Amino acid sequence: MTTVTEELQISWASVLSVAGVGLDALRDRLREPATAGPEPAGDPVGADADADADEYEGLPGRVGAVPDFKITDYVPRKGTKNLDRTTRLGLAASTLLKRELSERADVSDASWESTGIAMGTVVGSLRSSVQLDVDIIRGKGIDLVNPAVFPNVTMNCCASQIAIWHRLRGPNSTLANGTVSAFSALQYGARLIRRGHAGRMLVGGVEELSPHTAWGTRLKKDVDESVVIGEGAALLALEPVTADAPPALATVTACEVLFAPQRTRAGYATALRRAVDRALAAAQAAGVDIELVLPGTAGTVLEESEKAALERFDVERVDVRTAVGECGGALGAMQLAAALALGKPGTGVLMTGIDDSGAVAAAVLAIGERA
Amino acid sequence: MSRTRRVVVTGLGCVSSIGTGVEEFTAGIKAGRSGVTPITSFDSSDFPARLAGEVQDFDPAAIVRVIDPDDWGRTAHFAAAAARLAVEDAGIELDEDTRATTGAIIGTTNGEAPSVDTLTQQWLDGGPDTLSADVVRKIPAGNIAAAVSVELDLYGETVVIPTACSAANYAIGSAADKIISGESDVMLAGGADSVNRFTHAGFQSLGAVADGVPRPFDEGRSGIVTAEGGAVLVLEELGHAQRRGAHIYAELLGYGLSCDAHHIVHPDAESIADCIRRAHANSGIEAADVDYVCAHGTGTPTNDITEITATRLVFGDEHPPISSIKSMLGHTMGAASGFGAIACCKAIEESFLPPTSNLRTVDPAFGEGIDVVGGGARSAEVTVAQNHGFAFGGNNAITIFGALSGREPVGAAVEGGER
């Protein structure tokens, strides 16, 4: 039995983004966002390219996918046929993460019994829901419904498939909070560990590129057309700090997810300022200096509210959203991964975000010597 | 893990097919009222099963005071209305300091599926560039909790946990943990879902939909009836509740979570039993302390035998009464364990066992000694009630409610927690 302390560490991370696979690819993209370029990064829609090509026709702006992504590069082909792209991305990220953790001498096989998942998402796989509904409407009933794909429309499908593939029997959870979903996942996962419901949590977020999310995002006009509509998945291994574990990539200093009931520019700013205040107080108490800020709303109508809440910080800022594209439920996870990729050992990284639902988030990671 | 802060339930709110508001809902449960009726929310004429537990004539504007219903989807309407009713039931006036830390954690299976359905029809009718931005804005599932916090002017953590049909129990557990850990004194938690075409069809494609009314635990049971509604609890730190003289329905003693990690749609009895044991340990109770089990009880042949097998593994021959309120409501999916939580609180408060309706013959495969509370609600002292929620993906979540007593709360760490 692990002695659960208040302090939690991120012991490893996996990331698939439009920049490619891994923290190094993400770091390169963040340092030179121009390489995001005007062209889509890689195959825009993966295995569904032919079927989807017509449905992107006329779409304003650009889309980008995880380059050359094939789930069979990560897991055996058997059992992957009916998985949707959201699940495939999440499964790939979890496979990379589990593989890394399993190589550690202090990670026992039994530990997977108490390992859980907290996966952030906006709405699950919107493509799966729309496609199923199209089949029903066109089939005038259920004749065209494939029962094997119905579970894909439930928002917890990705997390559940990860548990099944990797035999993770701890709390299996999915958190929906728009673009700050991954911060909710981090907060939730940390709470589960601290309250004794899990020994380890894999926390993060996922978003698939689909014509439905792309068109929906463009039609809302909340995101500047210069921002690529992207996708990706990132997962972090969150564990109690123990003496026998290897040095952490980072420790979790603060994670605050709050709400702005007055969903105006001023209301969002006030709520985010409140979250930042709390995160900053935790950082100061822990002796962590913020030397890097990763905002989450660049290129959106919420940008001014976030700037107002961050005006006190005169430190380097890196725009994650523009670098990896508008990626919904994965955005917060990309910010967390970016903190690990860019943060200097011994310093603090502040990540913030606002979702137009009213949710706001501020988190601080203290970067470890191993990063 | 030991703890000093205790969580009690001081407000109950719901919108359901058998009644809106906790008193009407409870009266419906006690009377064995059925909320199952022919589907009206979509054209079901081409479907072999055409019944659902819909909330007929639901007008959110009659309940909510702040949100504009036109800005939100039907599932958010259910959540916000149930939350408003719960706060009114609690008789709580939230001051500025309390609102700063009070939020809403709401579970769901399908989120705003009716809005997705609308979007799909627009896509088919006019192509992608004709989608309504207003409909697109309603679709993110986080809106369901957001509607609650806008309605109640809350600044605290607001999030949706879409862990399918166990989701409300996940939400209740997490909200309780926030209070126990001192992050909040008051939280809103529960679940909401809406009947919709593609979920109905999806369950039907699995062969999981009943050929008539739901008959949980009956040997002739044939499946679920999809249903909808919202169920929200006001959770409050005990001292906070006592200082304001609140009515306390019950204490949330604890909860347990587990994942089968086995199959996306087939439940696993051993894993469910493990979840029950985790819930007991977290609550500081023994199996023998449980007086009543509010079953997941969907009425599918597989679920019910698996659930009874699991409870047998934990309770043995000393099996407490177990019943399914889905026999009356239908399967409200992400709201289901929220309704179960309300039923448990009222069972404790008013000393009764909710019935399993529509029973003809209890499935003999369950074995001897299983009391599924057929024949109507029954008077009984309920000190500890166990509330089940199981879901696609093998996501199990169980909450334990108890009559408020003077004993110390006890929480326990999860087994197998070593690294």
Side-chain angles (χ1 to χ4, degrees):
Chain A
M1 179 66 63
T2 298
T3 300
V4 178
T5 67
E6 285 296 302
E7 192 170 23
L8 299 174
Q9 71 176 40
I10 293 168
S11 48
W12 201 251
S14 60
V15 56
L16 295 88
S17 72
V18 295
V21 178
L23 289 174
D24 289 343
L26 179 62
R27 184 184 297 114
D28 291 345
R29 176 62 60 92
L30 290 161
R31 284 177 175 161
E32 293 188 57
T35 60
E39 295 300 323
D43 170 10
V45 283
D48 302 313
D50 292 341
D52 283 345
D54 292 347
E55 294 180 331
Y56 288 105
E57 196 171 319
L59 178 76
R62 301 280 181 177
V63 298
V66 175
D68 306 317
F69 175 66
K70 295 194 293 291
I71 187 59
T72 48
D73 290 343
Y74 301 85
V75 298
R77 178 176 300 276
K78 187 180 179 189
T80 61
K81 178 183 172 188
N82 291 313
L83 301 180
D84 60 30
R85 190 168 177 86
T86 294
T87 301
R88 291 178 182 201
L89 289 166
L91 182 58
S94 66
T95 301
L96 293 173
L97 192 57
K98 190 183 180 194
R99 190 179 298 160
E100 187 70 32
L101 292 170
S102 298
E103 290 178 0
R104 269 174 34 195
D106 65 307
V107 173
S108 69
D109 288 344
S111 72
W112 304 111
E113 291 282 313
S114 61
T115 298
I117 304 167
M119 180 65 89
T121 183
V122 173
V123 68
S125 173
L126 184 60
R127 181 206 299 262
S128 295
S129 296
V130 172
Q131 285 185 340
L132 181 67
D133 208 16
V134 166
D135 287 348
I136 295 158
I137 294 168
R138 287 185 169 158
K140 293 186 180 297
I142 66 164
D143 291 347
L144 293 181
V145 176
N146 175 2
V149 303
F150 173 50
N152 291 347
V153 311
T154 56
M155 279 175 265
N156 67 330
C157 182
C158 177
S160 300
Q161 287 288 5
I162 289 170
I164 291 168
W165 280 79
H166 298 310
R167 307 291 293 170
L168 311 180
R169 303 192 67 237
N172 188 272
S173 52
T174 304
L175 287 299
N177 221 0
T179 55
V180 302
S181 292
F183 295 112
S184 285
L186 176 61
Q187 187 176 44
Y188 181 70
R191 189 179 298 140
L192 286 178
I193 294 173
R194 288 177 175 137
R195 291 305 317 153
H197 292 285
R200 176 191 300 122
M201 291 295 294
L202 310 185
V203 305
V206 62
E207 189 69 57
E208 69 180 8
L209 176 65
S210 77
H212 318 91
T213 49
W215 276 102
T217 302
R218 291 301 186 216
L219 289 166
K220 281 198 300 179
K221 300 184 185 299
D222 292 344
V223 179
D224 193 280
E225 284 187 17
S226 66
V227 179
V228 170
I229 306 291
E231 66 169 2
L235 281 173
L236 318 175
L238 185 67
E239 300 178 301
V241 173
T242 56
D244 57 344
L249 293 183
T251 53
V252 180
T253 304
C255 185
E256 298 283 347
V257 182
L258 299 175
F259 193 75
Q262 289 80 42
R263 300 185 303 168
T264 60
R265 180 181 291 191
Y268 289 124
T270 299
L272 181 58
R273 197 175 288 118
R274 193 189 302 252
V276 171
D277 285 345
R278 292 189 191 183
L280 201 55
Q284 288 167 345
V288 174
D289 291 329
I290 306 298
E291 295 194 3
L292 176 63
V293 173
L294 304 176
T297 66
T300 77
V301 295
L302 301 166
E303 186 171 4
E304 291 306 313
S305 297
E306 188 176 42
K307 281 182 177 174
L310 294 174
E311 58 190 7
R312 78 191 82 170
F313 293 97
D314 184 21
V315 297
E316 182 185 7
R317 296 187 192 192
V318 175
D319 167 18
V320 177
R321 184 194 286 263
T322 302
V324 300
E326 164 63 37
C327 54
L331 178 65
M334 294 298 161
Q335 290 173 269
L336 289 162
L340 302 174
L342 296 178
K344 295 175 186 169
T347 70
V349 182
L350 171 67
M351 294 140 285
T352 57
I354 305 174
D355 186 74
D356 61 7
S357 67
V360 300
V364 174
L365 296 185
I367 304 302
E369 296 300 325
R370 189 158 163 248
Chain B
M1 304 180 74
S2 63
R3 63 183 191 230
T4 56
R5 287 166 63 89
R6 301 167 67 175
V7 180
V8 293
V9 181
T10 57
L12 301 172
C14 61
V15 179
S16 83
S17 61
I18 64 169
T20 292
V22 62
E23 295 309 323
E24 196 179 325
F25 171 78
T26 305
I29 291 286
K30 286 183 171 178
R33 187 183 302 153
S34 175
V36 174
T37 51
I39 292 170
T40 60
S41 60
F42 62 91
D43 179 4
S44 63
S45 58
D46 290 312
F47 290 78
R50 297 169 202 151
L51 296 177
E54 292 177 329
V55 184
Q56 305 283 0
D57 302 321
F58 172 54
D59 177 14
I63 299 172
V64 299
R65 297 184 205 159
V66 176
I67 66 167
D68 181 346
D70 289 343
D71 293 341
W72 306 86
R74 183 171 175 84
T75 308
H77 294 164
F78 285 135
R84 171 58 71 187
L85 292 170
V87 165
E88 288 177 355
D89 183 55
I92 189 168
E93 294 288 335
L94 297 173
D95 59 26
E96 182 73 9
D97 286 345
T98 308
R99 286 193 291 112
T101 57
T102 298
I105 305 180
I106 306 294
T108 192
T109 291
N110 285 298
E112 293 293 3
S115 295
V116 174
D117 191 35
T118 301
L119 196 76
T120 303
Q121 196 66 60
Q122 289 178 346
W123 185 286
L124 287 173
D125 290 345
D129 59 345
T130 66
L131 300 180
S132 159
D134 288 342
V135 176
V136 171
R137 288 183 192 284
K138 292 177 182 175
I139 284 175
N143 287 348
I144 299 164
V148 173
S149 286
V150 172
E151 171 66 20
L152 300 174
D153 201 18
L154 307 178
Y155 290 86
E157 181 183 356
T158 298
V159 64
V160 163
I161 305 186
T163 45
C165 300
S166 57
N169 266 350
Y170 271 81
I172 292 167
S174 188
D177 278 345
K178 275 186 75 74
I179 294 172
I180 291 166
S181 62
E183 296 176 55
S184 307
D185 287 328
V186 181
M187 286 294 294
L188 280 291
D193 252 311
S194 300
V195 166
N196 67 91
R197 176 167 43 195
F198 65 83
T199 302
H200 189 81
F203 277 117
Q204 195 131 35
S205 75
L206 291 174
V209 175
D211 56 12
V213 296
R215 298 186 184 281
F217 304 129
D218 191 279
E219 70 172 348
R221 65 190 182 277
S222 57
I224 70 166
V225 169
T226 58
E228 65 184 2
V232 174
L233 286 67
V234 176
L235 300 179
E236 195 169 351
E237 193 272 326
L238 173 60
H240 191 276
Q242 288 175 327
R243 282 191 294 278
R244 71 177 184 89
H247 171 69
I248 294 172
Y249 285 100
E251 179 174 5
L252 177 59
L253 299 176
Y255 74 102
L257 307 176
S258 76
C259 182
D260 297 352
H262 168 63
H263 194 282
I264 199 75
V265 297
H266 294 298
D268 180 83
E270 291 279 356
S271 181
I272 290 170
D274 184 45
C275 188
I276 297 171
R277 294 186 188 104
R278 291 184 189 193
H280 290 178
N282 185 254
S283 303
I285 65 166
E286 305 289 335
D289 296 330
V290 177
D291 300 308
Y292 166 64
V293 177
C294 188
H296 189 57
T298 62
T300 66
T302 299
N303 176 87
D304 291 4
I305 188 67
T306 305
E307 186 166 13
I308 296 295
T309 301
T311 54
R312 284 277 200 196
L313 286 169
V314 176
F315 294 113
D317 292 335
E318 302 298 318
H319 199 294
I322 180 171
S323 68
S324 172
I325 61 173
K326 291 183 180 67
S327 60
M328 297 166 272
L329 291 165
H331 191 348
T332 55
M333 301 179 284
S337 48
F339 284 114
I342 292 174
C344 286
C345 289
K346 292 298 289 185
I348 290 167
E349 184 199 29
E350 298 189 8
S351 301
F352 76 98
L353 299 177
T356 302
S357 293
N358 302 326
L359 266 175
R360 294 172 296 202
T361 305
V362 176
D363 189 343
F366 299 154
E368 295 295 317
I370 297 294
D371 174 8
V372 299
V373 199
R378 189 189 313 155
S379 294
E381 210 50 46
V382 180
T383 304
V384 175
Q386 175 174 313
N387 180 37
H388 286 185
F390 312 134
F392 273 7
N395 295 5
N396 307 311
I398 292 173
T399 48
I400 306 285
F401 295 88
L404 185 63
S405 70
R407 70 191 181 87
E408 290 298 311
V410 181
V414 65
E415 290 181 19
E418 81 271 29
R419 293 189 355 191

